[in-house]
Amino acid sequence: MTPAGDSRTCPRANQGPLVLPSVSRMRRGEEFAGAVRKGSRAGRPTLVAHFGMRADSDEPPLVGFVVSRAVGGAVTRNRIKRQLRHLMRDRLDRLPRGSLLVVRANPPAASARSERLAAELDVALDRLLRRREPSTAHRDGR
């Protein structure tokens, strides 16, 4: 039985998982490199997002996080990673199947409020996903 007030208890049971699903976590260096080197990039003051696609586009999207020592000490880096994982959990459904997303935190992320990280993550994701969509002007012949 879990103690009262435990974050794993049921109040959010119908709102989805509390963490980024394991199947969507990027773990292999080749996946990070594929997104960073071959993908597109959208930068914001607190973070930079790198977006790429895998050859097998039927797989679930993968998300990875890079938080360097320039951001702060171990406690700060881990806090930022937890915040970013939490934010991406709610945005995972925006990513197409087969996608690779790497979110790299910049030093200003250490002092940024969660709301600012969320807003800048949304802007970066919007830019990257908009670039991926084919332009309607090319389809219409204009």
Side-chain angles (χ1 to χ4, degrees):
M1 178 166 204
T2 57
D6 189 336
S7 65
R8 294 172 289 169
T9 56
C10 263
R12 292 181 38 96
N14 59 355
Q15 295 179 0
L18 293 175
V19 295
L20 190 65
S22 178
V23 69
S24 294
R25 289 191 185 179
M26 191 180 297
R27 292 184 173 88
R28 299 175 57 210
E30 307 88 60
E31 295 163 341
F32 278 89
V36 172
R37 292 185 187 138
K38 298 175 185 168
S40 55
R41 180 180 72 173
R44 302 295 304 152
T46 60
L47 57 88
V48 176
H50 301 268
F51 181 81
M53 294 296 293
R54 287 180 280 184
D56 185 8
S57 62
D58 194 37
E59 296 292 321
L62 294 178
V63 182
F65 304 95
V66 177
V67 184
S68 75
R69 287 186 184 168
V71 173
V75 172
T76 302
R77 293 194 311 268
N78 287 325
R79 178 179 51 84
I80 297 300
K81 280 188 271 192
R82 280 192 309 271
Q83 283 179 322
L84 290 171
R85 276 197 306 266
H86 173 77
L87 293 170
M88 275 310 303
R89 178 199 70 207
D90 296 333
R91 291 157 178 82
L92 195 58
D93 60 339
R94 294 178 57 190
L95 298 176
R97 292 190 65 78
S99 62
L100 299 170
L101 178 72
V102 173
V103 180
R104 181 171 45 89
N106 290 333
S111 60
R113 296 176 53 100
S114 185
E115 295 83 13
R116 181 175 177 204
L117 284 175
E120 292 193 355
L121 182 59
D122 285 335
V123 169
L125 282 175
D126 288 343
R127 280 188 195 164
L128 291 169
L129 295 175
R130 199 175 25 225
R131 288 180 195 160
R132 187 178 176 276
E133 294 174 0
S135 172
T136 56
H138 293 294
R139 284 186 275 151
D140 294 344
R142 290 185 216 164

